[in-house]
Amino acid sequence: MKNNGNGFEEMVAIQLAVRSWPGQAKLSAEDLGLQENEVPEIFRLGNKRLYPEEWRQTFNQLAGKARSYLNDLSYPFVVEYVRAIPKRNLARMVERLEELKAEYLARAEEFVAHYEAIQEQWREKYPDIWPRLAPHYPTRSQLRRKFDFFWSIFELKGAEVKEGSAPEIIAAYDQARADLEARYQDMVEEALIYLRKKVLETVTNLASRLKDGRIVRNDTLESVRRMEGWFKDLNIFGDVQVEEALTQLRAAINGTDYETLKDNEALKQQLADLADQVAAVAGKLDDVSAISGNYKRLIDLS
């Protein structure tokens, strides 16, 4: 990639994997007291669960917490389940992911410590079907290996062909590189739209509350401050107009809270006007192609 300080070399892709034991076994006809040929073809047998739902919810909530954090500080990427982030934010992101990983694995260890008690609980609760459940439980050592929390980081570049490769291999790589470059180009525009829509949502909420005479609480003001910082963190594409408009709005909000705002009509009008200015810039998507066009010219996967 071209090293010009404002291209894809400023970004990396990151993929988060959070694994747990599903704790499910396929429901059989025998579980329903039927013979296999007695199950109508329109039915699809479900699963039987091997441990209490509260544990499953715990692991799902912790995994969701990690994915929400990652998604909030990254862009959609051209590969499903992979996100793209500015390199300058990577250290901070990894630090937080390490904390979330420790929390997740601690609960996994707690689950493993209670594993035998959980099996005994299920044995007592479902004595009639326990013989059909028991074979589906892994050993403790096998169970522990089913829980994991890790991430992989990738540079954004095309595949390299070894010198002397066969012509058909070179042609395949060239085609793959061209396809990937096109997807990267689309990604720039999608990322810009993604950022602007987030901004638009926040400032429109503020403006409508101010204009309608509704209460503007401190958390609403704080959401604008956070949005300005969030946008600057992710705006490596040179979307100057939105960033400048947001900065002006935040400067006007700094030092303002619910008490100082509630009876100050002039300040309310000022903030509403500034919020409208941000919304006008963020909502005008016809200049996205021009901004992404500048960025597209920086892409070089060769």
Side-chain angles (χ1 to χ4, degrees):
M1 297 189 184
K2 296 177 182 178
N3 185 17
N4 44 34
N6 192 29
F8 272 95
E9 77 279 354
E10 294 187 12
M11 300 171 65
V12 292
I14 181 168
Q15 182 180 43
L16 176 64
V18 183
R19 297 174 180 170
S20 64
W21 177 44
Q24 295 183 346
K26 186 176 180 181
L27 194 66
S28 68
E30 186 182 6
D31 293 323
L32 303 177
L34 301 172
Q35 297 297 318
E36 193 67 38
N37 60 5
E38 294 177 325
V39 180
E41 64 178 15
I42 64 170
F43 289 112
R44 176 177 295 174
L45 297 176
N47 297 311
K48 47 202 174 199
R49 295 185 174 182
L50 306 177
Y51 63 90
E53 184 62 22
E54 54 264 29
W55 281 104
R56 198 182 317 275
Q57 290 176 356
T58 294
F59 296 125
N60 288 342
Q61 287 168 1
L62 290 173
K65 184 178 178 181
R67 294 197 183 281
S68 292
Y69 171 76
L70 174 60
N71 291 347
D72 284 346
L73 294 178
S74 62
Y75 319 105
F77 188 52
V78 295
V79 179
E80 193 173 10
Y81 305 123
V82 177
R83 306 288 294 186
I85 63 169
K87 286 182 179 178
R88 65 193 183 196
N89 296 343
L90 183 60
R92 183 181 62 185
M93 177 172 287
V94 168
E95 182 179 6
R96 178 57 179 152
L97 288 177
E98 289 286 1
E99 294 172 354
L100 294 168
K101 175 182 178 179
E103 183 179 4
Y104 183 84
L105 295 183
R107 294 310 301 269
E109 292 294 349
E110 183 181 346
F111 179 74
V112 172
H114 286 81
Y115 184 49
E116 292 178 359
I118 289 170
Q119 291 182 72
E120 184 59 33
Q121 176 186 355
W122 243 228
R123 191 194 331 263
E124 293 176 357
K125 192 172 184 179
Y126 304 107
D128 294 342
I129 64 170
W130 176 252
R132 294 196 292 275
L133 296 178
H136 298 290
Y137 286 88
T139 66
R140 281 172 60 95
S141 61
Q142 290 172 335
L143 176 68
R144 180 61 191 84
R145 292 195 296 272
K146 293 181 183 296
F147 290 88
D148 207 350
F149 186 118
F150 63 96
W151 51 91
S152 303
I153 298 171
F154 309 91
E155 292 281 353
L156 303 184
K157 61 181 181 181
E160 297 179 358
V161 186
K162 290 183 179 180
E163 187 175 351
S165 296
E168 61 270 20
I169 295 178
I170 295 174
Y173 270 66
D174 285 345
Q175 182 61 52
R177 184 182 292 114
D179 291 344
L180 184 59
E181 180 177 329
R183 290 184 181 275
Y184 277 169
Q185 292 172 351
D186 291 339
M187 173 194 153
V188 174
E189 195 158 317
E190 289 172 5
L192 283 163
I193 293 172
Y194 168 76
L195 295 180
R196 287 192 171 196
K197 284 185 174 179
K198 290 284 190 180
V199 170
L200 187 61
E201 180 182 331
T202 299
V203 298
T204 299
N205 177 56
L206 174 64
S208 64
R209 285 182 172 277
L210 290 166
K211 293 175 184 178
D212 296 344
R214 287 182 286 161
I215 294 175
V216 178
R217 302 191 184 278
N218 290 334
D219 58 352
T220 301
L221 298 172
E222 183 58 29
S223 69
V224 177
R225 297 186 185 99
R226 288 195 305 269
M227 177 56 64
E228 191 254 0
W230 174 84
F231 187 84
K232 282 185 174 179
D233 270 349
L234 293 176
N235 180 30
I236 62 172
F237 303 113
D239 195 347
V240 178
Q241 285 186 301
V242 173
E243 185 167 319
E244 289 180 347
L246 260 178
T247 299
Q248 290 179 0
L249 176 58
R250 176 169 181 171
I253 286 176
N254 283 345
T256 300
D257 59 18
Y258 164 73
E259 290 296 332
T260 59
L261 183 62
K262 65 178 182 178
D263 296 321
N264 192 331
E265 295 304 321
L267 181 56
K268 288 181 182 180
Q269 186 62 52
Q270 179 192 5
L271 296 183
D273 290 344
L274 288 171
D276 280 343
Q277 290 175 26
V278 178
V281 175
K284 185 183 177 184
L285 299 181
D286 58 358
D287 67 338
V288 165
S289 294
I291 298 171
S292 63
N294 291 332
Y295 214 75
K296 289 175 185 178
R297 286 190 288 273
L298 303 174
I299 301 173
D300 181 3
L301 299 178
S302 60

